[in-house]
Amino acid sequence: RRARPRPTHWARKPLAAAMSTPWACGRCTFWHEGPKAQLTECVVCGAARGIDAGEAPPPPSGTTGPPASAPSAPPAAASAAVSPCLVVAPVPPAAEATALPEVPPKCTWLVNEGLSHSKKAVLLESSGNSAEAAFHHRLAATKLGEAVEFCPDGHPDRCALRDYVEGLSLRAVYLDSLGGVRATVPLEDHVDELSLVMDLTSAPCPTDQSVAALLARGGTSGESAELSQEGFQLVRALRSMADFKVYADRILAADGRKRRPDALDADIEATLNGVGSFEELQTALRAAPWADLDIDPNMSKFDLAMKFEREGHSLEAAGRAAEAKDMYNRAVALLQYVYKFDPVTKNAKIKEMIGKRLEELAVKVK
């Protein structure tokens, strides 16, 4: 792709040069002072200095900023400046009259993301961490490069962002070449000033960049998440009840339980929405009236009796004494059958063990 020539009003000016008389643009009235007073074209609309308006008189003694007849520059709090090389200018009245192409929300979000990395890179450079600064310059270049693709043709920020990306990439290459040594070449020698007219104050995170979407693209699901606190948090972050139900089914299965066929979605969702940790979810599922033991028809009566006994212990620990007693009674009934009729009791040791288990359970069912 052929690179567009860079407008002259974006060229960097030496900071050591003598300060010129402040002036206001005759077209958009943008106030130029300090280093910008040396420019021959408006940094906002590109109008030549001195056309349709002369230089404005300097501000009164003891004051700063433009005279009362010229509009003030935007306050620092409203600016998105993140480094010495960034100035975000307000949309001038002339630009509004020409109806600039609308910038999509994803573009402004990407610009904000890129500028945040650029800011971090500048801070890292100032602390002498060239390697990490290069990494964040490169991240900023990537995000802003994506923003260029979303910026409409004909919008002045498209060319500005493309030039800024080139500067960031050049700076990253320079920092990489230092091998971790502190940079000696000023940032301004590689990265020119960036002036934007798009509104960066309202840039919501795109749907495809939300935490839930990113986790889903990374393969996280109710089927794959670990049965742990970390896995629980990942599934909750998906904000998908379908995945949460699958995750709950896996916990039930690991505990030898399953959803009852007549379980209502409203009851299941009420249980799942009422927990805040993996441990709370396990406890809630054990007490859920819509869950029951998963009985394998091929399971031996002895194994089934042991399953009833374990379930009784869980219910007793949860303070559900009546339900625990019912489980113990079911375990006793099965063990009595096994003790009398099952061929395994031909082994004297097994029969003795079953007899002792019956005695222990008999105490619990009284």
Side-chain angles (χ1 to χ4, degrees), residues 313-328:
H313 288 313
S314 297
L315 292 169
E316 187 176 14
R320 300 163 63 185
E323 294 171 81
K325 185 175 182 180
D326 179 61
M327 284 295 167
Y328 289 140

Side-chain angles (χ1 to χ4, degrees), residues 99-112:
L100 288 175
E102 183 178 358
V103 178
K106 185 165 185 177
C107 178
T108 52
W109 180 82
L110 287 167
V111 170
N112 275 328

